[in-house]
Amino acid sequence: MMDALAQGWLPIFLAVAGTLAVAVLGGMLTVIGPWYRSLRFPGWKPPDWVFGPIWTVILTLAAIAIVLAWFGASTPLQKSLVIGLFALNGSLNVAWNYLFFTLRRPDLALAEVGLLWLSILALILVLLPISSGASLLLVPYLVWVGIAALLNYRIVQLNGPFTRASG
């Protein structure tokens, strides 16, 4: 009985830990300092304070989606696919922050955000037959990263070229 209970809670714990790791690492790499403040932005850019709450909601929905997909997966292969796709997505999420804020290369981040968006789309499509609820929970993530990609594109247009990291 205790083993079954532990197995039920373990995927939930791991989903929360994984999404927290993505949030913490991404947050640590996101430095709103003089370089960022010197960039030109389009007039439609949301205020900086909005990004934290939006990412909190998106990552919470992603954690719930992971759990739903895990429990909806009927084979070890499906479970491995769920874990692999979420791990890839989390890595791409953190990599964008590294490229944009640490390397100060919005142009490289723009190329990478396409991969991030595609990884979310792949998750939505792969999870659909496993758990339609999990798939649906990821739609706001796809939309938000689409908006972020457009913003990233405009930042590159307004500020480029970016040829090397600047101190």
Side-chain angles (χ1 to χ4, degrees):
M1 175 74 166
M2 212 47 162
D3 190 42
L5 184 61
Q7 286 180 349
W9 283 102
L10 185 61
I12 296 169
F13 172 77
L14 293 175
V16 170
T19 52
L20 277 175
V22 169
V24 168
L25 288 171
M28 288 172 53
L29 294 171
T30 303
V31 178
I32 307 295
W35 172 81
Y36 177 80
R37 292 191 203 312
S38 73
L39 293 173
R40 287 174 284 169
F41 299 100
W44 54 266
K45 176 191 161 290
D48 291 336
W49 66 266
V50 169
F51 289 84
I54 288 174
W55 277 113
T56 299
V57 169
I58 285 170
L59 291 176
T60 300
L61 294 174
I64 295 167
I66 294 168
V67 172
L68 291 174
W70 176 265
F71 287 115
S74 57
T75 68
L77 179 60
Q78 282 184 330
K79 289 184 187 298
S80 294
L81 192 56
V82 167
I83 292 168
L85 286 174
F86 273 106
L88 173 64
N89 176 262
S91 298
L92 290 170
N93 191 309
V94 172
W96 184 90
N97 288 284
Y98 176 74
L99 293 170
F100 192 98
F101 290 101
T102 302
L103 293 185
R104 298 178 179 176
R105 292 293 305 264
D107 56 337
L108 297 179
L110 179 60
E112 193 272 353
V113 79
L115 297 175
L116 175 58
W117 190 89
L118 286 172
S119 77
I120 302 163
L121 181 61
L123 274 166
I124 289 170
L125 295 175
V126 167
L127 296 184
L128 191 58
I130 296 171
S131 170
S132 58
S135 186
L136 188 60
L137 288 174
L138 296 174
V139 171
Y141 187 13
L142 185 72
V143 170
W144 180 248
V145 169
I147 293 167
L150 290 173
L151 178 59
N152 193 159
Y153 173 73
R154 288 294 293 140
I155 289 169
V156 169
Q157 279 188 321
L158 293 169
N159 296 278
F162 298 92
T163 55
R164 63 178 176 84
S166 57

